[in-house]
Amino acid sequence: MKKILLLMAIILPFALTSCGDDKDEPQSLEQQLIGDWYYLLNEYTVQNYLFNSDHTGKYWVKQDGEVINGSIVTFNWSLEKIDNETILVIESEGFPTAYYSIFIKDDELHLDSNLPGLSWIYKRVQ
């Protein structure tokens, strides 16, 4: 009997472990946010965000495929939970701290400013 219990104690952890990544498991919002995003202002102008896993990032604007001189801004970002809402906080030297209500659905990043009428839907760069 002791041998059976010992054998079960050794084998049971291996039987209960998962192999590989489970594609069905939802990623956290933070994991989903990491990467490149773009927003078309018009047919010539594109806003871009890059969110890095180390909570740094970069923002820039392209016009006719070229980065507009002086438009590149580096920043630090974080996510906060306030009143059941997730807030993206962007801090950059020389600019006021920006706060956006955020959610991601179907590879679309939805950013809503606390100012009326200011919201954007960014698409993931493929």
Side-chain angles (χ1 to χ4, degrees):
M1 184 68 169
K2 288 182 183 180
K3 289 181 182 179
I4 293 174
L5 289 176
L6 179 61
L7 187 58
M8 285 179 61
I10 293 171
I11 294 175
L12 192 58
F14 295 106
L16 297 177
T17 351
S18 168
C19 296
D21 291 337
D22 291 334
K23 298 290 183 195
D24 296 338
E25 288 183 19
Q27 290 183 319
S28 72
L29 184 58
E30 183 174 312
Q31 291 170 326
Q32 292 178 60
L33 180 60
I34 294 168
D36 293 318
W37 300 88
Y38 72 94
Y39 175 78
L40 294 174
L41 287 169
N42 57 47
E43 62 182 295
Y44 306 107
T45 311
V46 179
Q47 291 179 338
N48 295 86
Y49 271 107
L50 171 65
F51 294 95
N52 297 314
S53 60
D54 65 354
H55 292 250
T56 62
K58 185 167 67 169
Y59 168 86
W60 67 97
V61 178
K62 283 185 177 180
Q63 192 163 31
D64 293 325
E66 299 290 325
V67 175
I68 295 175
N69 192 23
S71 74
I72 299 174
V73 176
T74 57
F75 58 84
N76 294 311
W77 65 272
S78 61
L79 295 176
E80 296 180 7
K81 270 292 214 200
I82 300 173
D83 296 331
N84 293 328
E85 191 172 14
T86 303
I87 305 297
L88 171 64
V89 180
I90 295 180
E91 298 176 294
S92 183
E93 191 174 315
F95 294 93
T97 301
Y99 300 90
Y100 301 101
S101 174
I102 178 179
F103 72 92
I104 297 173
K105 183 177 179 186
D106 299 328
D107 275 340
E108 291 184 339
L109 169 62
H110 297 253
L111 295 179
D112 293 313
S113 170
N114 58 348
L115 301 173
L118 290 180
S119 62
W120 305 268
I121 299 174
Y122 285 79
K123 303 236 185 246
R124 186 177 292 281
V125 174
Q126 300 298 328

